[in-house]
Amino acid sequence: MNTSTILATDWQSQADALSIDGSAFINGRRTSAGDQLTRPTISPVDGRTLAELAACRGADVDVAVAAARRAFPSWSRAGAEQRKQVLLTVAALLEQHADELALLETLDSGKPILQTTTVDVPGAISTLRWYAEAADKQSGELPAVPPGATALVTREPLGVVAAVVPWNFPLEIAVWKIAPALAAGNTMVLKPAEQTSLSVLRLAELAAEAGLPDGVLNIITGTGREVGAALAHHMDVDAMAFTGSTAVSRTLLEASGKSNLKRLSLEAGGKSSNIIFADTADLATAAAKAAFGAFYNQGQVCSANSRILVQREIHDEFASLLAQAAEDYRTADPLAGLEGNGSLISRAHADDVEGWIVRGRTDGEVLFGGERREVRGSNAYLEPTLLGGLPGDHDVHREEIFGPVAVLHAFETEAEAVSLANATDYGLAASVWTSNLSRAHRVAGDLLAGTVSVNTVDALGNTTPFGGFKQSGFGRDLSLHAFDNYTAPKTTWIQFG
């Protein structure tokens, strides 16, 4: 079905016709929680209950990890070519069900259907195909050793990998973990966010239909306090991949130390800056990209460029252009197929974000936006908001708000801009706008960020690593570097002389 031709009423009728299974997925089949407990998952789009999710606990984690452990020997020894073909088949089946996955993602997260059909689901499928094709293109080493010996260095899968993924890009970030881990020969137990489990559960079901062997991919629904903690402390989990907050990342480090020293890759919080110098050639484009970097996906992006630093001589002009560009991110009905933003993940989260707007209005000023909206009977919607008049050390500049709220701040010199941008605990991303090539290289080199985008914002792709420095974590998603999260070098030394 061509998504561009589907009307709002079509999406609503499809939503009404959905029969959603909220049970977990363990050892190749849908499974209730061991004690049969469930909890409702509520759509932020309109507040309706979508499904009853299995409320899994530690005993269910044990069952899933055991299934993954049993599947590991055959999957890891299947050979890269076989794993590649299975994963390509999975990707093809996901493509056949792309509209269904997009609709589940929209209902579960509040994202506009226009975004899930054109960005989230196609992005997940593209990443899965990329890692499938990379599976049989990894090579080992033949290092130099003394005469009479040969040494082989191979990349070995770690075993059972646990993954805990967030609610802001449920399907796409899950695939960032699943694809390289499985392509490398590991098996996996994945916990989706309790707010957004539906698209990942459906992915696992389709993967089994495509021929992924039982136990290779298991999806455990439940809370971080129970399921996430059980995975983090599990003695038979060899590695853990996480995307989420810095606070939770600290607890995972502790759990690894207290259990079996499992390998960790952590993509944690961010508070990214977008620096616009006065020599920027096209301020209108810079403003449009700044609006995207701050307000796309309702600002619920770990690398959102929510600190907009503008050289003083162009501050007022840029603020006006940014206000115009922000109009593209006003709230809209997520099922209408329109441009604009959907809801935040929940009413409770909208309350938290609105609290930051109140603080910004009290301590500074609201330059535009700041309004709460009601759509489809839900008030989990916020207009894009720009704050100003706040000192550089204000909490709005330092804390991750995770909503459609940005702060504008003037600077005088290049050195001041770099100092302001680096004055956070995080180091995930940054952007720089300038027509001076020397400045672009110089500032990019001085910024403490895993990705620096020059004359664009939040640039990423399957071929480039994504992750941070400082308290934004360690390890990388995307690119061939992601295989480092799920493999380790093994030396085989053969003495023959």
Side-chain angles (χ1 to χ4, degrees), residues 44 104-111 167 170 196 298 343-345:
L104 287 172
E105 196 93 324
T106 288
L107 294 173
D108 222 9
S109 70
K111 291 170 175 278
W167 46 255
T196 52
Q298 300 73 252
S343 72
L344 275 73
I345 189 61

Side-chain angles (χ1 to χ4, degrees), residues 104-320:
L104 287 172
E105 196 93 324
T106 288
L107 294 173
D108 222 9
S109 70
K111 291 170 175 278
I113 194 70
L114 185 63
Q115 291 177 17
T116 57
T117 53
T118 60
V119 178
D120 297 63
V121 174
I125 294 168
S126 170
T127 298
L128 184 56
R129 284 200 170 111
W130 195 88
Y131 281 106
E133 291 290 355
D136 63 354
K137 297 170 182 66
Q138 303 303 297
S139 57
E141 305 169 36
L142 287 172
V145 294
T150 297
L152 313 174
V153 179
T154 53
R155 300 293 302 188
E156 300 294 322
L158 299 177
V160 175
V161 173
V164 176
V165 296
W167 46 255
N168 59 333
F169 291 91
L171 185 66
E172 202 164 10
I173 293 180
V175 171
W176 287 9
K177 318 293 188 188
I178 292 168
L182 299 194
N186 300 279
T187 55
M188 178 171 276
V189 180
L190 182 141
K191 190 197 92 65
E194 50 263 41
Q195 300 92 335
T196 52
S197 300
L198 300 180
S199 59
V200 181
L201 285 168
R202 187 65 177 124
L203 177 153
E205 200 169 44
L206 291 170
E209 184 180 332
L212 191 70
D214 294 352
V216 172
L217 177 61
N218 306 275
I219 309 297
I220 297 288
T221 53
T223 66
R225 186 172 290 105
E226 294 194 79
V227 173
L231 288 168
H233 287 90
H234 207 289
M235 296 297 292
D236 205 25
V237 168
D238 300 295
M240 191 166 192
F242 173 75
T243 295
S245 72
T246 297
V248 173
S249 294
R250 289 192 179 95
T251 69
L252 298 180
L253 284 164
E254 293 175 4
S256 174
K258 291 177 180 178
S259 58
N260 60 342
L261 293 180
K262 58 179 60 65
R263 174 92 67 87
L264 296 176
S265 55
L266 306 173
E267 195 265 275
K271 190 67 179 179
S272 301
S273 295
N274 185 5
I275 304 173
I276 296 94
F277 287 98
D279 62 11
T280 299
D282 186 347
L283 282 184
T285 296
K289 286 289 190 177
F292 172 85
F295 304 129
Y296 180 77
N297 196 39
Q298 300 73 252
Q300 299 169 139
V301 181
C302 52
S303 53
N305 289 185
S306 58
R307 302 176 71 214
I308 303 173
L309 310 177
V310 184
Q311 203 151 26
R312 189 171 299 281
E313 54 261 49
I314 60 168
H315 177 276
D316 292 348
E317 179 185 1
F318 188 83
S320 177

Side-chain angles (χ1 to χ4, degrees), residues 430-463:
S431 294
V432 180
W433 291 81
T434 179
S435 296
N436 185 314
L437 183 60
S438 295
R439 170 175 278 162
H441 280 287
R442 189 168 57 243
V443 173
D446 288 340
L447 290 170
L448 302 175
T451 298
V452 178
S453 304
V454 178
N455 292 335
T456 187
V457 297
D458 206 16
L460 59 80
N462 289 330
T463 60

